[in-house]
Amino acid sequence: EKQIKQLYGLFMDSQSYLKNLENQLSITPQVKFYDRKSDVERLVQIIMRAGDMDALFNPAAAKAIMPGYYRTVPVKMKKDGIKFRGLLINCLEAKIYKKLYNSPDHQIKILPPHMRFSAGFIITKNAIYLIAYDNFQFSGIEIHNSFLAETHRAVFSELWSKC
């Protein structure tokens, strides 16, 4: 019985590692949906633990809808040593955000004025996170699949090089 408890404890401690390994080796994505503000806030917390990331987002919408995260996320990323590349919708908030947070580890570029959208995405090593927001409605999708993440990162890098 003691050995079973020890093995169970080892398994529970290893679940995160094993899930990450499965995501790296499996072509079938694991997908979760989030549809309330509190769910999307929880998704932001998950993303912050994912490590280095690339993102495309609208800072004006992010500030209006989730003001608590607008300023705290980049500060936490810097504190935690998370490397970040962000492509931002061209707006006043993007210029302010870039002025406040642009650094070698938190690189910011502003998209051309004709590029407009009301959703954003974040790409990490093994996952893609999609967040849509409009009129204080939220929707988030978490997709764990290293193959899809690699593809989206390649597309992001191409867009990054053009800006």
Side-chain angles (χ1 to χ4, degrees):
E1 188 176 322
K2 182 178 179 182
Q3 191 177 18
I4 291 172
K5 285 182 180 180
Q6 287 176 331
L7 287 173
Y8 180 75
L10 179 63
F11 171 73
M12 294 306 287
D13 291 343
S14 301
Q15 264 190 323
S16 178
Y17 169 77
L18 293 171
K19 183 177 178 181
N20 193 29
L21 184 61
E22 177 187 27
N23 290 334
Q24 289 177 16
L25 300 175
S26 174
I27 193 75
T28 304
Q30 293 181 341
V31 181
K32 292 182 185 175
F33 297 91
Y34 303 83
D35 62 357
R36 295 183 311 229
K37 182 178 180 180
S38 61
D39 292 337
V40 174
E41 289 172 346
R42 189 167 37 100
L43 179 59
V44 171
Q45 297 301 320
I46 292 167
I47 294 167
M48 294 303 297
R49 292 189 299 269
D52 297 348
M53 65 187 77
D54 295 329
L56 185 140
F57 72 100
N58 182 336
K63 183 179 180 183
I65 295 171
M66 299 177 78
Y69 288 96
Y70 177 75
R71 298 231 191 263
T72 58
V73 166
V75 172
K76 180 165 178 26
M77 290 171 74
K78 182 177 182 177
K79 179 181 167 232
D80 293 349
I82 297 171
K83 293 190 185 314
F84 173 82
R85 290 188 307 170
L87 291 170
L88 281 57
I89 287 290
N90 192 328
C91 62
L92 176 60
E93 287 302 329
K95 292 169 179 73
I96 293 169
Y97 187 94
K98 183 174 181 176
K99 186 176 180 180
L100 289 172
Y101 303 113
N102 195 43
S103 72
D105 286 340
H106 196 91
Q107 300 176 38
I108 307 294
K109 289 187 178 182
I110 298 175
L111 293 164
H114 67 277
M115 292 190 77
R116 295 273 180 220
F117 48 82
S118 48
F121 64 81
I122 297 103
I123 308 162
T124 64
K125 181 180 179 185
N126 295 311
I128 305 159
Y129 303 90
L130 308 169
I131 299 175
Y133 31 78
D134 186 38
N135 296 324
F136 297 95
Q137 294 179 349
F138 299 86
S139 176
I141 303 171
E142 177 181 6
I143 305 169
H144 283 269
N145 181 285
S146 60
F147 300 101
L148 292 174
E150 178 184 352
T151 300
H152 279 77
R153 201 170 20 266
V155 172
F156 179 92
S157 292
E158 185 64 24
L159 185 55
W160 178 268
S161 71
K162 304 287 185 207
C163 288

